[in-house]
Amino acid sequence: MSFKIFGKDSLREKIICVFATAIFSAVLMVYFCAQNTNEITAGTAAILSCVMFFVAVLSFIPSLIIFRRAFTAMVFCVFSWLGFYLTPLIYGHFFYIWPFYSGRAVSFTICIFAVAFLFALLSRKIHETVRAALLFIGVLLVVFVMNLNPLMESLKKAEEIEKNPIPVKENFFVDSNSKSPNIYWIHPD
């Protein structure tokens, strides 16, 4: 029994495209966690990446029902995720365009989905969808590995700072033959 509601693509293509969508959101989360390691711990970063992975898988299903092609649904989801991750960079421009419009957030969300929908429609022209999706996954894995190293280094530095926040010298050389030891204490207010 075949479910026509999910399109006519092969199961292999659907799995590749849903994996590409999910790994894209996780790679973006790793990138942002690497940029904000002072505020986010390693455990929080791992949990957020897993949550975003599963949210991306769940968001892929309605997109697949709407577009009926796995690759087109993947492109729609990827550009939607990209738009929402780039919101802090783009949202300020909407404030300058419509400074007194109270529905900026709704308009901005509609614009993100409209751009994602446009790219999804343009992706219908691509015929080698499995190869394109595999190439996309390969690029994402390279970006993931490139972000993993700075993330690990910054997490190590954060752990070192937590263990020893301020280096304090505790061992002093004191000459017992002198009249007064050569130790000076500074107590700033």
Side-chain angles (χ1 to χ4, degrees), residues 82-93:
L82 189 63
F84 287 116
Y85 274 103
L86 294 178
T87 297
L89 298 174
I90 303 169
Y91 189 69
H93 296 295

Side-chain angles (χ1 to χ4, degrees), residues 40-55:
I40 300 174
T41 63
T44 305
I47 291 170
L48 285 174
S49 294
C50 291
V51 167
M52 296 309 285
F53 186 91
F54 289 114
V55 168

Side-chain angles (χ1 to χ4, degrees), residues 134-182:
L134 289 174
L135 176 67
F136 183 66
I137 290 173
V139 170
L140 285 177
L141 291 177
V142 168
V143 170
F144 178 72
V145 170
M146 289 172 57
N147 284 322
L148 202 57
N149 188 26
L151 177 66
M152 291 303 165
E153 287 180 10
S154 58
L155 288 175
K156 285 179 187 176
K157 288 179 185 176
E159 287 177 6
E160 289 174 8
I161 290 172
E162 286 179 7
K163 290 179 183 175
N164 301 320
I166 300 173
V168 177
K169 185 173 182 178
E170 296 176 354
N171 299 327
F172 298 98
F173 175 72
V174 179
D175 187 8
S176 58
N177 296 332
S178 65
K179 293 180 183 178
S180 64
N182 194 12

Side-chain angles (χ1 to χ4, degrees), residues 13-24 53 56-58 60-61 70 74:
E13 185 174 354
K14 289 175 186 171
I15 290 173
I16 289 171
C17 289
V18 74
F19 181 72
T21 303
I23 199 78
F24 180 74
F53 186 91
V57 170
L58 292 176
F60 182 80
I61 294 170
M74 178 194 78

